[in-house]
Amino acid sequence: MNGTELRFCEELIRRVGKELLRHFHTFDPCATTAEMTERFQHVNDAAQDQLRMALAQHFPDYAWSDAEFDVSMQQQPEFEQPYWVADPIDGAVHFLNGVTMWASTLCLVKNGKAVVSFIYDPCRDELFTACAGQGAWRNGERIHASKKTDLSQSIAGTLYASSFPMNEEIGKQTAESVSRVMPEVFATRVLGAGSLQLAYVACGRLDGYWEYGTGLYDWLAGSLLVQEAGGRVTAASGEEFGWSSAGILASGTSLHPQLLKLIAA
C-alpha cells in the first residue's frame, strides 16, 4: 500500500469515527439490552456501509468480510484476494452507555496475514497505524512496545466479555488468570475495547494484554500494531498466533515468557 492509499484509509476511518463520536455525545445511557441492540444496529450498520462503499470505490479488487460476528468464518482466510476486516464500534457496550474507551478498527488481510491496520480512538483523536515490515505509528509518530523486564513493575490489561450470552469456560479462564496475574504485576486493568488495549501495548501504555476466545478478527488489527512496534504476539497458549488461535497474549518481548506462564497455566 503506497502513501496515498494509506492516507486515504486514515482519513476515511477518522471521518467515520468522528461521525460516531457525534452520535456518542448525543446518547443517553440505554435503559435495556434491547434498546442497546437496536441502537447499535442502527449506528453500526451506517458506519459499516460508509466504510465498505468508500473502500470498494478506492480498492475495487479487494473483498470485504461480513464475518465480524460469525466466529465460524474466522477459522481460515475467507478470500484468495486481499480483503478488509472492519469493526466500526469495538467496545460497543461503552459506546452505547456514554463511556469512553471504544474504537473503530480496519485491517487489510493479504495471503492470510494482516498487512495494514488502523485503530482510531475518536474520544482522544488518536489514530494508530501499522504496515507489515514498516513499523507502527500514533498520529504519525513512531511507537514502540514496552522494554520492561521486571514483571512486578508492569501494568497488564485483559477483557471480560459480555455476560449475556456468557461463554462459561472463557469467563472461568479469565477470572482464574486474573487471580494469577494480579499478585505478580504492579497493576491489572480492564480498560475497554480489546483493540485499544492492544494499541496501548504497542505504544507502551500497557506492558501486556491477554484475552481468551476464538474471535480472531477482534485481534488482527492490534496484533499487527504490537508486532510492528517491536512487541511479541502469541496465542494465549503460547503457540504461534494465527487462524486457529484460542486467545491472544501481546506484550513487550522481555515480559512475554513471564506473562505466558501465568495465563497459560
Side-chain angles (χ1 to χ4, degrees):
M1 181 173 287
N2 61 42
T4 300
E5 293 171 331
L6 194 68
R7 285 191 294 274
F8 170 83
C9 293
E10 289 179 332
E11 291 171 1
L12 173 62
I13 198 165
R14 278 186 183 274
R15 186 164 65 250
V16 171
K18 288 179 178 178
E19 176 64 17
L20 288 168
L21 183 64
R22 185 182 66 80
H23 288 288
F24 174 76
H25 284 312
T26 63
F27 287 155
D28 292 323
C30 293
T32 65
T33 55
E35 183 182 345
M36 289 176 64
T37 300
E38 181 180 359
R39 180 183 292 177
F40 172 78
Q41 290 177 338
H42 173 71
V43 179
N44 184 76
D45 289 356
Q48 195 168 62
D49 288 345
Q50 186 178 354
L51 284 170
R52 181 172 56 239
M53 289 188 292
L55 291 168
Q57 290 180 344
H58 207 81
F59 302 96
D61 296 329
Y62 293 179
W64 172 273
S65 171
D66 284 314
E68 178 189 352
F69 302 113
D70 188 348
V71 173
S72 68
M73 294 290 291
Q74 302 177 25
Q75 305 305 305
Q76 59 187 10
E78 293 182 72
F79 305 96
E80 292 185 0
Q81 75 263 44
Y83 68 97
W84 298 104
V85 173
D87 187 353
I89 313 175
D90 184 27
V93 173
H94 282 195
F95 174 83
L96 295 167
N97 285 279
V99 182
T100 57
M101 288 298 295
W102 54 273
S104 299
T105 75
L106 178 66
C107 184
L108 180 64
V109 178
K110 184 177 182 180
N111 297 326
K113 301 284 187 180
V115 294
V116 185
S117 69
F118 310 88
I119 298 175
Y120 181 52
D121 177 359
C123 296
R124 292 173 61 95
D125 193 23
E126 289 188 326
L127 176 60
F128 298 86
T129 305
C131 295
Q134 299 181 40
W137 303 268
R138 180 184 65 240
N139 289 350
E141 298 291 330
R142 191 70 180 263
I143 56 176
H144 302 279
S146 169
K147 298 185 183 302
K148 289 181 183 177
T149 59
D150 186 346
L151 190 63
S152 68
Q153 300 299 308
S154 67
I155 302 174
T158 189
L159 181 69
Y160 282 98
S162 171
S163 297
F164 182 80
M166 166 63 81
N167 182 313
E168 292 186 5
E169 180 60 29
I170 292 175
K172 181 179 178 180
Q173 279 183 298
T174 304
E176 291 179 349
S177 66
V178 169
S179 71
R180 293 191 298 269
V181 172
M182 190 178 296
E184 303 298 329
V185 299
F186 179 76
T188 305
R189 293 291 180 265
V190 181
L191 297 175
S195 62
L196 269 184
Q197 294 191 77
L198 286 167
Y200 283 9
V201 173
C203 69
R205 291 175 180 168
L206 285 176
D207 301 300
Y209 174 79
W210 82 97
E211 184 182 346
Y212 301 104
T214 55
L216 184 74
Y217 284 0
D218 288 340
W219 309 318
L220 273 182
S223 66
L224 181 62
L225 267 171
V226 174
Q227 290 167 331
E228 289 300 316
R232 186 179 177 193
V233 179
T234 66
S237 62
E239 297 174 355
E240 181 180 358
F241 180 74
W243 293 95
S244 60
S245 293
I248 186 172
L249 171 62
S251 68
T253 55
S254 296
L255 291 179
H256 195 279
Q258 302 172 63
L259 283 169
L260 181 61
K261 288 181 181 179
L262 298 172
I263 73 155

